Every structure is written in C-alpha cells, then in structure tokens.
Amino acid sequence: MKKTLVAILILLGSLTTHAQYDRDVFFLRGRTALQDGKYALAIENFNILARLDTADYWNFFFRGIAKYNLGDIRGARADFDRSVRINPVFTNGYHYRAITESRQGEYDAALGDLEKAIGLRPGFSGLYFSRGVTFFLARRFESAVEDFDRYIRKSPSDPGAYLNRGASYLFLGDTTKAFSDYNKAIELDRFEPESYIRRGHLHAAKGSFTEALADMNRAIEIDSTNTLAYFNRAILYSETDDYNACMADLNRVLKDEPGNALTLYNRSLVSARMGDFESALEDMDRVININPGNVLAYFNRASFFVEMHRWQDALADYNKAIELYPDFAKAYMNRAYVENMLGLNRASKADYQTARRKVAEYRSKTSGGEASFADTTRKYSSLLALDADFAKKDFDNELLQHRDIDIRLKPLYKFRLAKPEESRGAALSRNYDNPLIEHFEAAVPVSVVISNSDTLRSLSFNRSLASILSGDNSTGAGSNRLGAAETAFLKGIYDVQNKQYSSALQHFDNAVKLSENASERDRYSRFYKAFYLMNRGVLRAEMIEFIASMESNVQTLTMDDQGATRARLSDRVDRSYDYSEALADMQAAADILPDVPHLFFNLGNLYTLSSQMVSALESYDHAIKLYPYMGDAYYNRGLVLIYLKDKEKGCIDLSRAGELGVPEAYGVIKKYCEDDAAVR
C-alpha cells in the first residue's frame, strides 16, 4: 500500500499488555525492531512471545506486519488470520488481512474483510484508502474514486490520495482530472519525485515531450537515486531518437538494479537499434533467464537472429514464442519467413496461411480491422513504457521487478572450529540439543560446533593444534584424554580451516579407520564415527564444488529447469559430478545416528546436487520430522519444490523458513511466490 505497514505502530502507541516482565521485554524488543525496519529480528522476538502466550492477537498481528514487509505475503496472511480468530472484532486484523488478500489477487475476500473492518470502525478513514486501492486492483475504478473521495474529505492534505485517485481517473480515460490530481499532489508536496514522474508520463502520452522531460529532470533533481525516474526519462529519450542519452539512463538504472529485467529488455532493444546485436543478445538472454515466460523476449531475440542470419536460432525462438502465445499472428508470419530462408517451403506456406487466418479472426472481433492488428506489431519491437502501469507503483505493484537473486541451497552441516565465546543460544531459542553432540563438543580440547555457517576467515588462534593436544598448560586437555580417532579428526578440522583439503581428507580417513578399531570400553567411539563420516562426506562434496568453480560450472539449484536458452548452449561446457562417495559417507553416518537431523539435511543436499529430487525431499522431510524448527531444511525443501513446479507448497516452506530465522527466504519469496494477480 502507499504507506508502509509499520505506520500502524504510531496508531497503537498506547497499547498496554498484561503479561509478565519477560513478555514485556520481548514485546518491546519486537516492536522496536519493527519500527527500525529490522524485520527478521522482530520476528524472532514475536516467535518467543507466541510460545509464551498463544492467545495474544496483537503479537500475531505485529509478526504478520514484519513478514509482510519482508515480502512474505502468505505468512503475513496466516498471522492476520490467527489474530482475528483469537479476537473476532479486531479491526486491524481484518484490515491487514484484506491487504494481503488483495496482494494475492483475492479481491472479493479483501473487500469482504474491509466491509467487516468498516462496520467495526466506520470513522477510520484509512480503511477507505485501503478499499480504494483494492477497488483499483480489481479494476473497479469508479468505486475506487468514490473511496478516495471519502478519504480526501477527511484527509485533504495527503498527496498520496490524490496520486491514487489520479491513477483511477487515468484508467477511466479522464486525463484532465488525472492531471488535476497530480498537480494537487505536487502542490501539497513539492519534494515527492513520484508526483513528477506520474505527471511527466501523462505529458508524454499527449506528445508533450519537453514538459515530460522537465518533470523527469525535476524528479531526478529531488532524488538522484530514483531509478524509476531514470527509466522513464530513458523512454522519453528513445521517443526523441536520442539513443545515447537513452542508453546512459538505462545503464544508470542497471547500476543500482543489475537484475532489472524490464530495463535489460529495453537496453537490448536500444542496442539492436544501434546495430550492436551481440550486446542486444546478451541482455535478452538475461531477460529470458530471469523470466522464461516472457513471450516478447523470445520474439525480439528471434528478430536479432534474423538480422544476423542465424536462421536456426531464430526458428527456435519463434517456436518458443508461439508455444507461449499460440495466437501470436506476427510470430507465425515471421517464422514463415525464416522457414522460407531455410528452404522449408511447405512449413513456410502453412505458417503464412495460419498468420492470415488469425489476422482475419482478429479483424472479425474488432472494429478496427486488420490495420489495428498490424499496429500491434510496433509494440513488439518498441520500448516497453508500460503506459499507465506506472500509475500502480503505490499499489504495491513493484515496477522494477524480476530482479536476479543468487539462489543457492543452504550449505552442508559439519563440525567446524568455533570462537570460544560462541554459544549454543539462549533459552526459548529452540536450538537443537543432542546429548551425544554436546558430550563430543565438551570432550575435545578446542571449541567446535556443528554448523553450516562458515566463520573460518574470522578465526585466529594463538596456539597451534600440537600445543593444545600436548596439554602444555591448563587450557590443554592433553593427549592422554583424547583418543587417536578424535585426534585425527581435530587435525582434519584444522586442515580444512587452512584449506589443506587433501591432508584433511587423509585425517578424516584415519579417524574413520581408527574408530572402527577402538576398544570396546570406549563406548562413544562407534557413535563418534558418524561425525567423522559426516565431515568426510561434506569435505568430498566441497572438493567437488571447488573443482566445479575452477571450471566456472558450480553446481547450484537453477530454479528454471530449462537451463540456459538453446541459442547459448553451444557456449557452455556442462559436466555432471559424482557425489556417490559423499552420499555413501552421509548415509553410513545416518545409519549410525538415525536421530540427528543434520545428517538427513546433508543427504537432502547431496541428493539435490545429484538430481535425485524425490530422495532429496524425503531426506528433508525426515530432517524436519526430527527437528521441526530447522529453518534451513524448510528453505532447501522449498527451493526443491519450486524447482519441481510445486510452487504453492514450496512457498509455504519458504515462509516457514523465514519465520524460523532464514533471512534469504524472503528474497526468494519476492521472486517466486508473488501470485501473478498481485503484480499484473
């Protein structure tokens, strides 16, 4: 919505609680973190409160706000649901649940919740603002105008309301009233760049490019980091054929937003106009990798291939464009030309006839005739300005969307060296506890922890391992307290820290062998063997990753299972890697200690890297069964589910991962879990 959800905190400043002192502390910490924009920290505190008091609807409400601001719409909606179930007359719960429903395209449900909220608090003008937004997204623009009118009568000094009403007028075709509202917004706040961007866009639509450029320049003068203003100015420069200036502004956007698909798309077209087809192809390849369902990207890239006489590549892209959009008459027409150049005369004739038939069908459904259809070919090759879509920015429709996100599995768990002060966490943190692991960590003379985070670069030790093992002062345990297998294992951990992988692997081998020959009276040795196998399996996998990185072919979970585009496959060297030894080690460790979730998490990762996705899901399932608060397992399982096209379940897992403290989950949620209806 126009205003961040955190603003609700101002309205709730007088809220009092009735819990114990500890509850008050966590509540204050959570609200403070929320106000400071530290949403993940806020969720951590509200999680603790949720365990202390399951009937506090305010706690779930605030946690929902934190999730919302991290992009977790599903998770936020679940918390708002919880708040109104606990308190059926909770106005704010209905209000903000409506916002999440609107974001998910469920406008009828959102309007129903807003009706309940208005019935409970008819004098709260903010509800009319939100309902106006919902009406707008539901394309009920007259109703949107009515609600913004109501809001403006009570809050006549809010420029955002005029911007939103102006957008509604714009979609009703009343540009005069839209201009009036944009002018009013500027009058109320002359330092809001978006008002100038909106007005400039209207000037451009009327062909008044001088006035439009002046507005864009003013927006950039106010905020030199406003990428939306640079993007719009680039479009204006392109309309006036100033391609150098256009390219400069597009490059400026990509400096701050390197994965912005919309800007990459437009820069590709500008490069093609300037005759630089290699650069045009590079940008369009990235657009397709970010958004593989973009039919226009395939269509335009095919035209680049035609210009370069790369007929087979052009044919492949026209095939894909038609697959995505079977009624794309222009694509049939262009494919007919390419097929003719390839000597495929029969296919060319069939495509030409199909194109003519589709044009005729279109003409019969419209009053404009064939010319109106032909005119649409201009938009396929022109820059995308999105027309009035820029008016939707305040309705949480992120204009500069589809950013590139580096998506990798959360890494494997292993024993690593730790800082002496590194703790296992405070009470109520739901950290995993295992007596055997705790016994092992206490038995060795150095600080170790089982973890999948890498802090080795920040660690430094004043004493060598040999000194520690010799027990030459009170801090050393002495070699007589440590078995041969444990000693070999610690040597391996130290070698991993020093990146001496071959030596580390040899030490882990020795630890495994020595544990097999340990005396019967060493009752822990056969269990510790699982730890040695785990670290050896992880090291083997990491050595594979290291080799792959040297070949620029790192194994990561590519979220689109099509991989790179066919036009670029010839430029890549793909190899498969054998994780069987690592898998064997991890499975053997799990057989020894079937109650340790980290081992099954690691199996999930290794199965994923081996493209055995069903086995990966089963392993993550088992890890979560053993330890329901393992956020990393939810995160990785969510990625695999999305990869397998089971998006709904995958996004639920990512939401749970974010709630359990995996901040990377929210970046993936923003990219893959926003419903199409919420961003159209």
Side-chain angles (χ1 to χ4, degrees), residues 10-70:
I10 299 173
L11 302 175
L12 304 174
S14 61
L15 179 67
T16 59
T17 64
H18 306 283
Q20 299 172 352
Y21 172 74
D22 286 345
R23 184 190 178 285
D24 294 336
V25 171
F26 287 121
F27 192 78
L28 178 61
R29 288 176 181 171
R31 287 187 56 186
T32 301
L34 195 57
Q35 288 174 307
D36 293 342
K38 299 176 181 177
Y39 304 121
L41 179 60
I43 289 173
E44 289 180 14
N45 283 279
F46 293 134
N47 284 344
I48 294 172
L49 284 172
R51 296 194 291 276
L52 292 173
D53 185 356
T54 59
D56 186 350
Y57 57 91
W58 282 110
N59 177 57
F60 292 105
F61 174 72
F62 283 125
R63 190 175 72 175
I65 290 176
K67 290 180 180 179
Y68 182 96
N69 282 282
L70 285 169

Side-chain angles (χ1 to χ4, degrees), residues 535-596:
N535 267 45
R536 187 173 73 177
V538 171
L539 179 58
R540 283 172 165 167
E542 290 178 343
M543 290 174 72
I544 292 174
E545 292 291 306
F546 178 74
I547 294 169
S549 69
M550 298 296 289
E551 298 175 353
S552 300
N553 193 29
V554 177
Q555 299 264 318
T556 58
L557 187 63
T558 305
M559 297 308 292
D560 181 73
D561 58 359
Q562 298 300 315
T565 56
R566 278 178 287 180
R568 290 303 189 198
L569 278 177
S570 60
D571 298 334
R572 297 182 59 191
V573 180
D574 287 332
R575 285 185 52 189
S576 59
Y577 294 89
D578 183 6
Y579 288 89
S580 58
E581 288 187 331
L583 274 166
D585 276 349
M586 211 61 64
Q587 187 60 61
D591 290 342
I592 296 170
L593 295 178
D595 61 340
V596 175

Side-chain angles (χ1 to χ4, degrees), residues 583 587 603-613 615-616 619:
L583 274 166
Q587 187 60 61
L603 281 170
N605 276 30
L606 294 172
Y607 280 127
T608 300
L609 294 171
S610 302
S611 299
Q612 300 180 51
M613 299 304 181
S615 296
S619 296

Side-chain angles (χ1 to χ4, degrees), residues 197-214:
I197 294 172
R198 297 278 190 91
R199 190 175 69 177
H201 197 256
L202 268 183
H203 281 306
K206 295 177 64 177
S208 304
F209 295 115
T210 301
E211 291 84 352
L213 277 171

Side-chain angles (χ1 to χ4, degrees), residues 417 445-446 461-471 482 486-495 498 507:
L417 297 175
V446 295
F461 298 93
N462 296 325
R463 300 174 60 215
S464 67
L465 177 61
S467 173
I468 293 173
L469 293 176
S470 68
L482 209 60
E486 291 96 321
T487 299
F489 184 58
L490 287 181
K491 288 179 179 179
I493 292 177
Y494 266 78
D495 281 347
N498 296 322
H507 286 309

